[in-house]
Short mmCIF file of all heavy atoms in Angstrom, two decimals:
data_model
loop_
_atom_site.label_atom_id
_atom_site.label_comp_id
_atom_site.label_asym_id
_atom_site.label_seq_id
_atom_site.Cartn_x
_atom_site.Cartn_y
_atom_site.Cartn_z
N ARG F 182 140.64 -47.24 5.30
CA ARG F 182 141.47 -47.88 6.33
C ARG F 182 142.55 -46.93 6.86
O ARG F 182 143.74 -47.24 6.87
CB ARG F 182 142.10 -49.15 5.78
CG ARG F 182 141.09 -50.23 5.51
CD ARG F 182 141.74 -51.55 5.18
NE ARG F 182 140.76 -52.59 5.10
CZ ARG F 182 140.23 -53.02 3.97
NH1 ARG F 182 140.57 -52.47 2.83
NH2 ARG F 182 139.34 -53.99 3.98
N THR F 183 142.11 -45.76 7.28
CA THR F 183 142.99 -44.77 7.88
C THR F 183 142.24 -44.09 9.02
O THR F 183 141.07 -44.40 9.25
CB THR F 183 143.49 -43.75 6.84
OG1 THR F 183 144.45 -42.91 7.45
CG2 THR F 183 142.37 -42.93 6.27
N THR F 184 142.89 -43.20 9.71
CA THR F 184 142.22 -42.46 10.78
C THR F 184 141.59 -41.19 10.23
O THR F 184 142.06 -40.66 9.21
CB THR F 184 143.22 -42.09 11.89
OG1 THR F 184 144.20 -41.20 11.35
CG2 THR F 184 143.90 -43.32 12.46
N PRO F 185 140.55 -40.70 10.86
CA PRO F 185 139.94 -39.46 10.39
C PRO F 185 140.92 -38.28 10.39
O PRO F 185 140.89 -37.44 9.50
CB PRO F 185 138.79 -39.22 11.37
CG PRO F 185 138.45 -40.56 11.91
CD PRO F 185 139.75 -41.30 11.94
N MET F 186 141.82 -38.23 11.38
CA MET F 186 142.77 -37.13 11.44
C MET F 186 143.73 -37.16 10.26
O MET F 186 144.05 -36.13 9.68
CB MET F 186 143.54 -37.18 12.76
CG MET F 186 144.37 -35.96 13.02
SD MET F 186 143.42 -34.43 13.08
CE MET F 186 142.61 -34.61 14.64
N ARG F 187 144.20 -38.34 9.89
CA ARG F 187 145.08 -38.45 8.72
C ARG F 187 144.35 -38.03 7.45
O ARG F 187 144.93 -37.40 6.56
CB ARG F 187 145.58 -39.88 8.55
CG ARG F 187 146.73 -40.21 9.42
CD ARG F 187 147.32 -41.53 9.02
NE ARG F 187 148.36 -41.88 9.97
CZ ARG F 187 148.84 -43.09 10.09
NH1 ARG F 187 148.39 -44.06 9.34
NH2 ARG F 187 149.78 -43.33 10.97
N LEU F 188 143.10 -38.40 7.34
CA LEU F 188 142.31 -38.01 6.19
C LEU F 188 142.16 -36.50 6.11
O LEU F 188 142.30 -35.91 5.03
CB LEU F 188 140.93 -38.68 6.26
CG LEU F 188 140.04 -38.56 5.04
CD1 LEU F 188 140.66 -39.26 3.85
CD2 LEU F 188 138.68 -39.14 5.34
N LEU F 189 141.93 -35.86 7.24
CA LEU F 189 141.78 -34.41 7.26
C LEU F 189 143.10 -33.70 6.96
O LEU F 189 143.12 -32.70 6.25
CB LEU F 189 141.22 -33.96 8.61
CG LEU F 189 139.77 -34.37 8.85
CD1 LEU F 189 139.38 -34.06 10.29
CD2 LEU F 189 138.84 -33.70 7.89
N VAL F 190 144.20 -34.22 7.46
CA VAL F 190 145.50 -33.64 7.15
C VAL F 190 145.79 -33.78 5.66
O VAL F 190 146.31 -32.87 5.03
CB VAL F 190 146.61 -34.28 8.02
CG1 VAL F 190 147.99 -33.89 7.51
CG2 VAL F 190 146.44 -33.87 9.47
N GLY F 191 145.45 -34.93 5.10
CA GLY F 191 145.60 -35.10 3.65
C GLY F 191 144.76 -34.12 2.87
O GLY F 191 145.19 -33.59 1.83
N GLY F 192 143.57 -33.82 3.36
CA GLY F 192 142.71 -32.83 2.72
C GLY F 192 143.32 -31.43 2.79
O GLY F 192 143.24 -30.65 1.85
N TRP F 193 143.95 -31.12 3.92
CA TRP F 193 144.61 -29.82 4.05
C TRP F 193 145.81 -29.71 3.10
O TRP F 193 146.04 -28.66 2.52
CB TRP F 193 145.06 -29.59 5.48
CG TRP F 193 144.16 -28.69 6.25
CD1 TRP F 193 143.38 -27.69 5.75
CD2 TRP F 193 143.94 -28.69 7.64
NE1 TRP F 193 142.68 -27.09 6.76
CE2 TRP F 193 143.01 -27.68 7.93
CE3 TRP F 193 144.43 -29.47 8.67
CZ2 TRP F 193 142.59 -27.42 9.22
CZ3 TRP F 193 143.99 -29.20 9.95
CH2 TRP F 193 143.07 -28.19 10.22
N VAL F 194 146.55 -30.80 2.94
CA VAL F 194 147.68 -30.79 2.01
C VAL F 194 147.18 -30.58 0.59
O VAL F 194 147.74 -29.77 -0.17
CB VAL F 194 148.49 -32.10 2.14
CG1 VAL F 194 149.50 -32.23 1.02
CG2 VAL F 194 149.18 -32.15 3.48
N LEU F 195 146.13 -31.28 0.22
CA LEU F 195 145.54 -31.11 -1.12
C LEU F 195 145.05 -29.68 -1.32
O LEU F 195 145.26 -29.08 -2.38
CB LEU F 195 144.40 -32.10 -1.32
CG LEU F 195 143.66 -32.03 -2.65
CD1 LEU F 195 144.61 -32.30 -3.80
CD2 LEU F 195 142.50 -32.99 -2.66
N ALA F 196 144.42 -29.12 -0.31
CA ALA F 196 143.93 -27.74 -0.40
C ALA F 196 145.09 -26.77 -0.56
O ALA F 196 145.00 -25.82 -1.35
CB ALA F 196 143.11 -27.39 0.85
N ALA F 197 146.18 -27.00 0.15
CA ALA F 197 147.34 -26.11 0.03
C ALA F 197 147.94 -26.17 -1.36
O ALA F 197 148.30 -25.14 -1.94
CB ALA F 197 148.39 -26.49 1.07
N VAL F 198 148.01 -27.36 -1.93
CA VAL F 198 148.53 -27.50 -3.29
C VAL F 198 147.63 -26.77 -4.28
O VAL F 198 148.11 -26.07 -5.18
CB VAL F 198 148.68 -28.99 -3.66
CG1 VAL F 198 148.94 -29.18 -5.14
CG2 VAL F 198 149.79 -29.63 -2.83
N LEU F 199 146.32 -26.91 -4.13
CA LEU F 199 145.39 -26.22 -5.03
C LEU F 199 145.50 -24.71 -4.88
O LEU F 199 145.46 -23.98 -5.89
CB LEU F 199 143.96 -26.68 -4.77
CG LEU F 199 143.62 -28.11 -5.20
CD1 LEU F 199 142.22 -28.48 -4.72
CD2 LEU F 199 143.73 -28.25 -6.69
N LEU F 200 145.61 -24.23 -3.65
CA LEU F 200 145.73 -22.79 -3.43
C LEU F 200 147.00 -22.23 -4.07
O LEU F 200 146.97 -21.20 -4.75
CB LEU F 200 145.73 -22.49 -1.93
CG LEU F 200 144.38 -22.62 -1.22
CD1 LEU F 200 144.59 -22.57 0.29
CD2 LEU F 200 143.45 -21.53 -1.66
N ILE F 201 148.12 -22.91 -3.87
CA ILE F 201 149.38 -22.43 -4.43
C ILE F 201 149.37 -22.51 -5.95
O ILE F 201 149.80 -21.57 -6.63
CB ILE F 201 150.55 -23.21 -3.82
CG1 ILE F 201 150.70 -22.85 -2.34
CG2 ILE F 201 151.85 -22.93 -4.56
CD1 ILE F 201 151.66 -23.71 -1.57
N ALA F 202 148.89 -23.62 -6.50
CA ALA F 202 148.85 -23.76 -7.95
C ALA F 202 147.94 -22.71 -8.57
O ALA F 202 148.28 -22.10 -9.59
CB ALA F 202 148.36 -25.16 -8.33
N GLY F 203 146.79 -22.47 -7.96
CA GLY F 203 145.90 -21.45 -8.47
C GLY F 203 146.50 -20.07 -8.40
O GLY F 203 146.39 -19.27 -9.35
N LEU F 204 147.17 -19.77 -7.31
CA LEU F 204 147.81 -18.47 -7.16
C LEU F 204 148.92 -18.27 -8.18
O LEU F 204 149.04 -17.20 -8.79
CB LEU F 204 148.36 -18.34 -5.74
CG LEU F 204 148.76 -16.96 -5.27
CD1 LEU F 204 147.55 -16.02 -5.33
CD2 LEU F 204 149.31 -17.02 -3.87
N VAL F 205 149.71 -19.31 -8.42
CA VAL F 205 150.79 -19.22 -9.40
C VAL F 205 150.22 -18.99 -10.81
O VAL F 205 150.73 -18.15 -11.56
CB VAL F 205 151.68 -20.49 -9.35
CG1 VAL F 205 152.57 -20.58 -10.57
CG2 VAL F 205 152.50 -20.50 -8.08
N LEU F 206 149.18 -19.72 -11.15
CA LEU F 206 148.59 -19.57 -12.48
C LEU F 206 147.99 -18.17 -12.68
O LEU F 206 148.07 -17.61 -13.77
CB LEU F 206 147.52 -20.64 -12.72
CG LEU F 206 148.05 -22.05 -12.94
CD1 LEU F 206 146.88 -23.04 -12.99
CD2 LEU F 206 148.87 -22.14 -14.21
N VAL F 207 147.39 -17.64 -11.64
CA VAL F 207 146.82 -16.29 -11.76
C VAL F 207 147.90 -15.23 -11.84
O VAL F 207 147.86 -14.33 -12.67
CB VAL F 207 145.86 -16.01 -10.58
CG1 VAL F 207 145.48 -14.55 -10.53
CG2 VAL F 207 144.61 -16.87 -10.70
N LEU F 208 148.90 -15.32 -10.97
CA LEU F 208 149.93 -14.28 -10.91
C LEU F 208 150.87 -14.30 -12.12
O LEU F 208 151.36 -13.25 -12.52
CB LEU F 208 150.73 -14.40 -9.62
CG LEU F 208 149.97 -14.08 -8.35
CD1 LEU F 208 150.86 -14.25 -7.13
CD2 LEU F 208 149.39 -12.67 -8.39
N THR F 209 151.11 -15.46 -12.70
CA THR F 209 151.95 -15.52 -13.90
C THR F 209 151.19 -15.13 -15.14
O THR F 209 151.80 -14.80 -16.15
CB THR F 209 152.57 -16.91 -14.08
OG1 THR F 209 151.52 -17.88 -14.21
CG2 THR F 209 153.47 -17.27 -12.93
N GLY F 210 149.88 -15.21 -15.08
CA GLY F 210 149.06 -14.84 -16.23
C GLY F 210 148.98 -15.90 -17.30
O GLY F 210 148.44 -15.66 -18.39
#
């Protein structure tokens, strides 16, 4: 019960969180 654009923006936010978390875990060792 949402719009496709909101769903895609939510997917981008989730992707950004995963990218940053992954980068932090790799760089901190």
Side-chain angles (χ1 to χ4, degrees):
R182 293 190 173 97
T183 186
T184 63
M186 190 59 73
R187 278 191 186 163
L188 188 64
L189 291 172
V190 169
W193 259 331
V194 169
L195 178 61
V198 169
L199 289 173
L200 286 168
I201 291 171
L204 195 60
V205 166
L206 288 173
V207 168
L208 292 179
T209 60

